[in-house]
Amino acid sequence: MKKLFYLLLILCSLASCEHRELLETLDKHYIRVYFDEDIQNVSHGFYDDSREKPEYSSPDMLRVALCDTESGDMLFEEYLSAKGSDEYGNYIEGVIKAPPGIYHLMAYNFDTESTHVRDMYNYYKMQGYTNPISSRLQSYLVTTRDENNSQKVVYEPDHLFLLTEENLVIEYTATVDTLRPKNDTFFKAKTAVETYYFQVGVKGVHFVSSAVAILTGMAGSVQMHDATLPMDPVSLFFNLQAGAANKLSATSVAYASFHTFGRLEAVDSEMTITFEFYTIDGRVQVEKFSLTDIFKTAQVQENGWIILDYVVEIDPPEITDDDGGGISPDVGEWTEIESEIEI
């Protein structure tokens, strides 16, 4: 009788171990997402390799959400941070837990500084956006004090990589299975943010200590499930940099690589760019140009290069050197206008 009791105890222990192992792997699904980092004016196609290129690094964190196909409400989510790379590129991988069913899958990088996501718990409502510039910066800029400037001025976005897979079927599994797209070998996320290169000629560049630009007619947000642009016109703020000056003429360029969700084609108002050049003697020189026609050119449409065929002339300071030597036309690094980005 005692032997029979021990035999039953052993059998129950084995059964309980098997059941516990099944629960540990039940409804768990491995997912790997690659990033399409072939980006114009970032990883390739830069206008001038001698200019400073925009800072960029691969994403560090990924948010994966499984949502209801009808309401769009998020049902399950996971934050993944295991990074890797192979012949297909850089990726982030991990495991998400969800029971069998049909879902809309949304994944995006969750490590951006200036790009935020609102309505993040609904597949159809999720939007990427950036905040308006700080009140301190707004009071510093001449352009934002203009009462006729009705568009809000915002920070430029970081690259937002998006992946959507609608009607993803997840079947019952007692082991950790691998989620795959219906029409491809693996998941790949693409950025919803464009990068442009901008350049304008500047004479008297050595009289400038810093410079900024404000570009109107840009999209302030992106609808994440289909990468469309809501009617949300904004003005984009970014700093300009100085190219090397010619020592005889002190003529150079002001340039920048800036990020945007895109241009709102349906906006009726003229698309303009306004420069504020801050000089070494404390003046502010404001220059404004129309870009409406330039954005329609092949150079902009195909390459993202906005090259103004114009030279801004910076007025020299009234104070001169007592020795008659003047001011050296050598150009160092312009000071960036510092701004606090809300996270």
Side-chain angles (χ1 to χ4, degrees):
M1 188 71 180
K2 189 178 290 185
K3 289 183 179 180
L4 180 60
F5 172 77
Y6 283 125
L7 180 60
L8 290 173
L9 184 61
I10 292 171
L11 290 174
C12 289
S13 298
L14 291 173
S16 64
C17 288
E18 290 176 1
H19 183 63
R20 186 159 53 247
E21 182 180 349
L22 181 63
L23 286 177
E24 288 175 356
T25 58
L26 188 64
D27 296 337
K28 287 189 176 181
H29 315 281
Y30 170 80
I31 183 171
R32 173 182 289 188
V33 178
Y34 288 88
F35 300 101
D36 183 353
E37 296 173 298
D38 187 25
I39 308 171
Q40 178 76 22
N41 292 312
V42 176
S43 58
H44 73 93
F46 204 67
Y47 177 76
D48 186 343
D49 287 329
S50 68
R51 309 288 185 212
E52 187 173 333
K53 297 181 180 179
E55 293 183 3
Y56 174 79
S57 58
S58 292
D60 290 320
M61 181 173 288
L62 193 71
R63 179 180 183 243
V64 180
L66 295 174
C67 305
D68 183 83
T69 57
E70 294 295 328
S71 66
D73 292 338
M74 190 204 72
L75 302 176
F76 306 95
E77 68 172 343
E78 193 64 63
Y79 293 85
L80 311 179
S81 58
K83 300 173 64 177
S85 62
D86 56 22
E87 66 271 24
Y88 301 111
N90 296 315
Y91 62 81
I92 290 180
E93 62 185 353
V95 173
I96 184 170
K97 192 174 190 303
I102 301 176
Y103 304 93
H104 286 348
L105 168 69
M106 168 73 76
Y108 60 92
N109 56 315
F110 198 72
D111 56 348
T112 55
E113 182 179 6
S114 62
T115 301
H116 308 291
V117 175
R118 55 179 161 237
D119 295 321
M120 62 186 294
Y121 297 108
N122 187 282
Y123 178 83
Y124 298 112
K125 295 180 180 179
M126 273 189 260
Q127 288 185 351
Y129 71 99
T130 60
N131 282 325
I133 60 175
S134 66
S135 57
R136 177 186 174 188
L137 177 57
Q138 192 165 350
S139 64
Y140 184 84
L141 301 174
V142 175
T143 308
T144 55
R145 297 185 223 136
D146 185 358
E147 295 180 357
N148 296 321
N149 184 16
S150 59
Q151 287 187 3
K152 63 181 177 181
V153 182
V154 302
Y155 297 106
E156 56 181 316
D158 303 310
H159 278 283
L160 178 64
F161 287 89
L162 300 178
L163 163 69
T164 59
E165 180 75 16
E166 298 196 345
N167 299 311
L168 176 69
V169 178
I170 294 181
E171 299 179 346
Y172 170 82
T173 176
T175 60
V176 179
D177 65 343
T178 299
L179 299 182
R180 300 186 188 280
K182 294 187 293 290
N183 301 317
D184 208 341
T185 308
F186 47 76
F187 293 112
K188 186 161 245 185
K190 295 185 177 182
T191 180
V193 172
E194 301 172 340
T195 299
Y196 288 85
Y197 174 83
F198 174 84
Q199 179 177 296
V200 63
V202 180
K203 185 176 182 179
V205 70
H206 51 291
F207 301 136
V208 179
S209 60
S210 62
V212 301
I214 297 173
L215 179 63
T216 67
M218 294 288 101
S221 55
V222 61
Q223 203 74 41
M224 291 170 59
H225 78 278
D226 59 5
T228 57
L229 302 178
M231 185 48 60
D232 180 22
V234 298
S235 296
L236 199 65
F237 165 85
F238 54 92
N239 282 281
L240 297 174
Q241 296 174 276
N246 181 301
K247 287 187 177 292
L248 295 177
S249 65
T251 299
S252 181
V253 298
Y255 71 96
S257 293
F258 66 88
H259 307 316
T260 173
F261 292 120
R263 182 196 173 195
L264 284 177
E265 299 287 348
V267 175
D268 295 329
S269 59
E270 185 180 33
M271 184 180 182
T272 63
I273 188 165
T274 303
F275 309 116
E276 294 191 10
F277 293 96
Y278 298 84
T279 64
I280 57 177
D281 60 336
R283 292 174 293 116
V284 182
Q285 187 166 327
V286 179
E287 304 280 348
K288 186 175 182 179
F289 300 91
S290 171
L291 294 183
T292 305
D293 293 334
I294 294 176
F295 247 82
K296 299 174 183 177
T297 63
Q299 183 170 248
V300 177
Q301 297 285 330
E302 297 173 9
N303 301 314
W305 301 337
I306 307 170
I307 312 299
L308 274 187
D309 186 20
Y310 185 86
V311 177
V312 175
E313 294 194 21
I314 305 298
D315 298 329
E318 295 180 1
I319 301 174
T320 59
D321 185 73
D322 293 336
D323 297 331
I327 300 174
S328 170
D330 292 340
V331 177
E333 291 293 325
W334 279 352
T335 302
E336 287 196 357
I337 303 298
E338 293 186 3
S339 56
E340 299 175 358
I341 297 178
E342 296 181 13
I343 299 177

